């Protein structure tokens, strides 16, 4: 069934009167080339294309600044050539001579890989030689040959453990610094420290949307008051390669998932060539939109429409090869629609994308220092995010961005997203800093200091996990290993201890399954048969053991996609779990964690989970809801949990909290309260819990 089009109206600010529907609005864009303009650079040689980019005009000035300042902040519009060009200018100017390396950090894995691929291509080099990348679990660089290395900011922090002064790098470019991920901020603080010891290390901070002055003030080491001695300079690059026209809806959109589908279909009907990139908040929404588009396009091909629609999902929980599919070119007879979470928001160029649809929301981590609850919450995007999203269009030719919110609402959005450092559980940060020899984490030079209370809570948690001793020092070997482990400390502890609990085989599977979401698939038309199949895996102990059952059955059935389909299970998700599981095993064998099975005893597995996740414990309240042990905060079991429709257990631990109108628990298991006192004696003293201001009775 086709969507009724008449309901969606867009408006382009600066044009005559409101009321534009998509067809009319094509006229409004005539001045920027309403009929599609093909990439005028496509036939140019790579060298000529590079010279056309706005950043090229500033090439010499960038090199001049770098000779004269230790840090240079570069702000330039999306698509002007920051990520792909600046590293090459540095290489060409000799910054990577004598075995030195130009490092470029990206907040996301997919960005590091795709930008590295593009730069290698521009240089006619094989990826992994002169140009390479290093991301978690995947190193495609050569210790001797690589001159330009793209890496995630998390990897850079890891490299500092082995090489605290990062001696092999002559220049480090912190790209997309506006994202302010946890690791970008850790790297920023550490690099400032390193610069004081290594006057020759140059830093470039780059983004399209950041507060340049804030960064300059932070990195300027000049204390003399004489501006000629400043160690940090700012450069603004004007102009972009191609324009992007932005359209807003005329009135607020009640359901952005439906509106996304509707807008895609309108574009498909009304516009000429050009692929679409739509932003949603999470895997569930992405999959919903993809399946709605598949249905719509089926109806269209029956109606004889020549151009086909191909919808491709893109989110972090997809197997890597699936994520990379969005970059593949499609035949002229196909319009590609990439439906993505914000992993596609910065840095990347998806060739062919002309139209961007921005739902206006994003899923973010939030931490409440009062309740010590870390949760995921869907929140409005910031103006910086909206501008990055729009910037994914207009990279190979003029683009259009449809914002599924009004211009008035856009004006009300916060200018930038709150840095992750200020809205997260800080235990991983503290662990990393301690491992890097920073003893007094409270005095660390943070670009945006986190709340002191969050720091204290994180220290308490690490003490209880056994990663820190009473003097706040990293313990040997547990604390050191936890710091080295590429998962949050609670997971790390659970995995590292699983050998001594005698259930490492099961715990590795559970940890891998927790890295993916929505293993159970429930197509709207087949909800009942799907639920019947899913019940076969469910156990009263909760989600962790249910997931273990699913994975074991998947393996027993030779990892067959057919079997997954019959049982309404997410095949791609299970494939990814299998890959993650393998990687986790490799790490555990490095730390000599013995391979052991619980031989069907659920209690040891649950106890092992508690040894890592005791801080996420809740008890059943007589109201029927759960209450956290730390702060008596009300929580509810998420409808996707196997415990949702069951008799609620008295005590539970959980992995994740989702915040909507209420706080929902995901990945929940039933436990015994006595395990908490036994396995986390520092945290839960018998009788009371002393963390925070309230004292909660445990047993
Ligand atoms: O980092 P910034 O947003 O400033 O731009 P970039 O990633 O360096 O890309 C500059 C330009 O190179 C884009 O606008 C595209 O025209 C082109 N490009 C491309 O065609 N294909 C890629 N994979 C990457 C970049
Ligand atoms: Mg970029």
């Amino acid at each position: 069934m086709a969507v009724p089009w008449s309901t969606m109206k867009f408006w382009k600010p600066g044009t005559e009167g409101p009321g534009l529907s998509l067809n009319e609005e094509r006229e409004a864009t005539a001045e920027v080339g309403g009929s599609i303009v093909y990439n005028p650079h496509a036939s140019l040689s790579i060298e000529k294309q590079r010279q056309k980019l706005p950043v090229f005009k500033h090439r010499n000035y960038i090199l001049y600044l770098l000779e004269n300042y230790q840090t240079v902040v570069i702000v330039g519009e999306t698509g002007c050539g920051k990520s792909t060009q600046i590293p090459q200018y540095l290489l060409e100017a000799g910054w990577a001579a004598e075995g030195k390396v130009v490092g470029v950090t990206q907040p996301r894995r997919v960005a590091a890989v795709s930008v590295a691929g593009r730069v290698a291509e521009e240089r006619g080099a094989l990826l992994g030689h002169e140009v390479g990348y290093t991301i978690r679990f995947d190193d495609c660089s050569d210790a001797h040959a690589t001159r330009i290395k793209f890496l995630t900011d998390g990897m850079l922090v890891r490299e500092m453990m082995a090489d605290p002064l990062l001696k092999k790098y002559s220049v480090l470019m912190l790209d997309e610094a506006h994202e302010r991920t946890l690791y970008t901020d850790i790297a920023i603080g550490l690099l400032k420290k390193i610069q004081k010891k290594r006057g020759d290390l140059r830093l470039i901070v780059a983004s399209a949307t950041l507060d340049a002055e804030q960064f300059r003030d932070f990195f300027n080491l000049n204390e003399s008051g004489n501006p000629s001695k400043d160690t940090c300079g700012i450069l603004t690059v004007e102009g972009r390669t191609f324009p992007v026209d932005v359209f807003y809806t005329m009135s607020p959109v009640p359901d952005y998932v439906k509106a996304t589908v509707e807008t895609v279909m309108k574009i498909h009907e009304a516009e000429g060539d050009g692929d679409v990139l739509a932003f949603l908040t999470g895997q569930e929404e992405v999959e919903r939109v993809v399946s709605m588009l598949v249905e719509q396009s089926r109806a269209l091909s029956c109606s004889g429409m020549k151009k086909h629609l191909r919808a491709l999902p893109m989110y972090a929980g997809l197997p890597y090869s699936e994520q990379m599919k969005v970059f593949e070119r499609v035949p002229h007879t196909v319009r590609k629609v990439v439906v993505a979470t914000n992993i596609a928001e910065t840095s990347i160029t998806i060739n062919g994308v002309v139209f961007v649809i921005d739902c206006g929301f994003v899923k973010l981590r939030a931490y409440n220092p009062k309740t010590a609850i870390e949760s995921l919450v869907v929140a409005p995007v910031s103006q910086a995010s909206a501008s990055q999203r729009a910037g994914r269009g207009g990279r190979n030719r003029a683009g259009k961005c449809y914002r599924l919110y009004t211009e008035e609402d856009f004006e009300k959005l916060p200018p930038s997203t709150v840095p992750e450092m200020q809205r997260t559980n800080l235990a991983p940060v503290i662990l990393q800093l301690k491992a890097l020899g920073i003893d007094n984490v409270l005095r660390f030079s943070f670009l945006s200091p986190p709340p002191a209370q969050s720091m204290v809570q994180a220290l308490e948690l690490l003490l209880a996990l056994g990663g820190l001793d009473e003097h706040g020092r990293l313990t040997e070997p547990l604390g050191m290993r936890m710091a080295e482990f590429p998962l949050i400390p609670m997971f790390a502890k659970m995995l590292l201890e699983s050998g001594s609990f005698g259930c490492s085989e099961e715990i590795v599977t559970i940890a891998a399954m927790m890295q993916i979401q929505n293993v159970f698939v429930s197509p709207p038309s087949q909800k009942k048969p799907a639920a019947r199949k899913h019940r076969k895996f469910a156990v009263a102990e909760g989600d962790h053991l249910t997931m273990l059952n699913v994975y074991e059955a998947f393996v027993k059935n030779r990892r067959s996609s057919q079997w997954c389909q019959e049982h309404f299970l997410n095949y791609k998700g299970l494939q990814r779990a299998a890959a993650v599981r393998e990687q986790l095993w490799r790490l555990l064998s490095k730390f000599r964690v013995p391979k052991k099975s619980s031989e069907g005893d659920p209690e040891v597995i649950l106890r092992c989970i508690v040894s890592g996740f005791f801080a996420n414990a809740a008890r059943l309240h007589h109201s029927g809801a759960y209450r956290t042990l730390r702060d008596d905060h009300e929580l509810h079991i998420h409808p996707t949990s196997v415990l949702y429709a069951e008799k609620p257990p008295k005590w539970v631990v959980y992995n994740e909290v989702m915040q909507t109108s209420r706080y929902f628990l995901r990945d929940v298991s039933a436990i015994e309260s006595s395990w908490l006192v036994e396995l986390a004696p520092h945290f839960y003293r018998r009788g009371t819990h002393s963390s925070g201001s309230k004292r909660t009775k445990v047993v």
Side-chain angles (χ1 to χ4, degrees), residues 53 77-84 118 241 347 349 351 395-396:
L53 292 173
E77 289 233 36
T78 51
C80 78
K82 299 177 299 298
S83 310
T84 57
R118 170 67 181 189
T241 330
S347 251
T349 299
N351 271 302
R395 295 176 82 80
N396 301 108

Side-chain angles (χ1 to χ4, degrees), residues 76-84 106 115 173 175-176 206-208 346-349 388 392 395:
E77 289 233 36
T78 51
C80 78
K82 299 177 299 298
S83 310
T84 57
Q106 297 288 338
V115 182
M173 171 157 145
D175 201 7
E176 309 298 356
S207 168
T346 50
S347 251
I348 60 167
T349 299
Q388 290 286 348
R392 294 313 108 202
R395 295 176 82 80

Side-chain angles (χ1 to χ4, degrees), residues 17 140 150 194 244 248 254 285 292-293 296 328 509 517 532-533 610 625 632 637 645 655 664 677 681 686-687 690 696:
C140 180
F150 289 87
I194 296 177
V244 179
Y248 296 93
E285 285 173 8
M292 281 156 91
L293 286 173
Q296 298 268 328
E328 288 169 14
T509 303
Q517 277 181 9
R532 248 196 320 274
K533 293 280 185 191
V610 170
D632 230 13
I637 293 197
N655 284 76
F664 285 105
V677 188
R686 189 166 285 275
S690 64
T696 310

Side-chain angles (χ1 to χ4, degrees), residues 506 509-520 534 537-539 542-554 569 574 577 640-642 655 667-669:
E506 290 83 1
T509 303
I510 290 170
M513 289 293 279
M514 293 298 121
Q515 309 305 311
I516 57 170
Q517 277 181 9
N518 307 339
V519 175
F520 293 135
H534 294 162
F537 304 103
V539 288
D543 297 311
H544 296 96
L545 293 176
T546 301
M547 289 302 130
L548 178 65
N549 282 345
V550 171
Y551 187 86
E552 287 183 346
F554 173 62
L569 298 173
L574 281 162
T640 55
S641 167
V642 294
N655 284 76
D667 302 331
V668 196
S669 276

